[in-house]
């Protein structure tokens, strides 16, 4: 309670700048919701596919989808670091530095995506045989979804970059 009184006396809660909420909604919030919807499509696909395919195929897809999600962990972690830095650079009007940061990030992530894809193609059969041989018929789907996840990482990183700039319509 004492801290709240202190904050009120220091005028912490007063609004310094006016902002247009409608502009924020249309230029940032709405495009972000569309982006999140697109990113959630693989999870939504499972119930939709169950209407058209048998349970065995859905099981193969769900198994592969687990590893697709895991392949997005590294770019998600990178995006958690790039978002606040990009936001800071945007506030400081250092757009060139922000673009260089994005290029360096892509340069850092590229070996991960390429080497990861090569390792998936070389080791996935061995991995499935030793962990869950019942899913061996899904090897092609397994490979495709993991490689898609690795290269979708560029999109995850870029969307964080755009969020940091407050410009999602790109």
């Amino acid at each position: 309670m004492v801290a709240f009184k202190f904050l009120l006396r220091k005028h912490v809660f007063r609004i310094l700048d006016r902002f247009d909420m409608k502009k924020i909604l249309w230029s940032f919030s709405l495009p972000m919701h569309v982006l999140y919807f697109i990113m959630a499509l693989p999870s939504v696909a499972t119930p939709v596919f169950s209407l058209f395919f048998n349970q065995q195929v859905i099981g193969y897809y769900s198994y592969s989808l687990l590893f697709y999600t895991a392949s997005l962990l590294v770019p998600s972690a990178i995006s958690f670091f790039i978002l606040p830095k990009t936001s800071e650079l945007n506030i400081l009007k250092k757009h060139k530095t922000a673009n260089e940061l994005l290029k360096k990030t892509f340069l850092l992530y590229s070996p991960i995506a390429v080497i990861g894809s090569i390792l998936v193609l070389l080791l996935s059969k061995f991995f499935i045989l030793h962990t869950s041989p019942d899913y061996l018929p899904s090897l092609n789907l397994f490979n495709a979804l993991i490689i898609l996840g690795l290269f979708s990482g560029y999109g995850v990183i870029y969307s964080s970059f755009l969020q940091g700039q407050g410009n999602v319509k790109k």
Side-chain angles (χ1 to χ4, degrees), residues 10-169:
K10 294 293 182 181
H11 303 288
V12 172
F13 299 112
R14 90 185 152 156
I15 298 173
L16 299 176
D17 294 327
R18 296 284 174 206
F19 54 89
D20 184 6
M21 193 60 168
K22 185 178 177 182
K23 181 180 176 188
I24 292 171
L25 179 70
W26 286 107
S27 66
F28 184 74
S29 250
L30 196 60
M32 278 311 304
H33 288 300
V34 171
L35 182 65
Y36 288 138
F37 177 74
I38 291 169
M39 292 173 71
L41 280 177
S43 298
V44 174
T46 304
V48 173
F49 286 168
S50 67
L51 298 173
F52 304 104
F53 298 102
N54 66 31
Q55 292 302 313
Q56 186 177 21
V57 173
I58 300 304
Y60 293 155
Y61 175 76
S62 296
Y63 176 77
S64 300
L65 188 62
L66 291 172
F67 293 95
Y68 166 83
T69 306
S71 69
L72 289 173
L73 289 176
V74 171
S76 295
I78 292 171
S79 71
F80 288 138
F81 290 106
I82 196 172
L83 176 65
K85 188 63 178 175
T86 304
S87 183
E88 175 190 355
L89 292 171
N90 186 47
I91 290 170
L92 297 173
K93 305 286 188 227
K94 295 183 177 181
H95 302 293
K96 186 176 180 181
T97 308
N99 288 336
E100 289 173 8
L101 175 67
L102 179 66
K103 288 177 186 175
K104 286 179 183 178
T105 305
F106 280 163
L107 199 60
L108 169 77
Y109 182 67
S110 290
I112 296 169
V114 172
I115 292 170
S117 297
I118 292 169
L119 289 175
V120 164
L121 291 172
L122 293 175
L123 301 175
S124 60
K125 186 174 183 179
F126 175 80
F127 174 77
I128 293 175
L129 277 173
H130 286 75
T131 59
S132 48
D134 293 340
Y135 291 98
L136 192 58
S138 69
L139 181 64
N140 290 336
L141 180 63
F142 182 85
N143 289 343
L145 280 179
I146 293 176
I147 292 171
L148 175 68
L150 288 169
F151 284 97
S152 294
Y154 288 107
V156 171
I157 293 167
Y158 189 62
S159 69
S160 278
F161 174 77
L162 292 178
Q163 285 176 9
Q165 290 190 328
N167 186 6
V168 187
K169 286 189 173 181

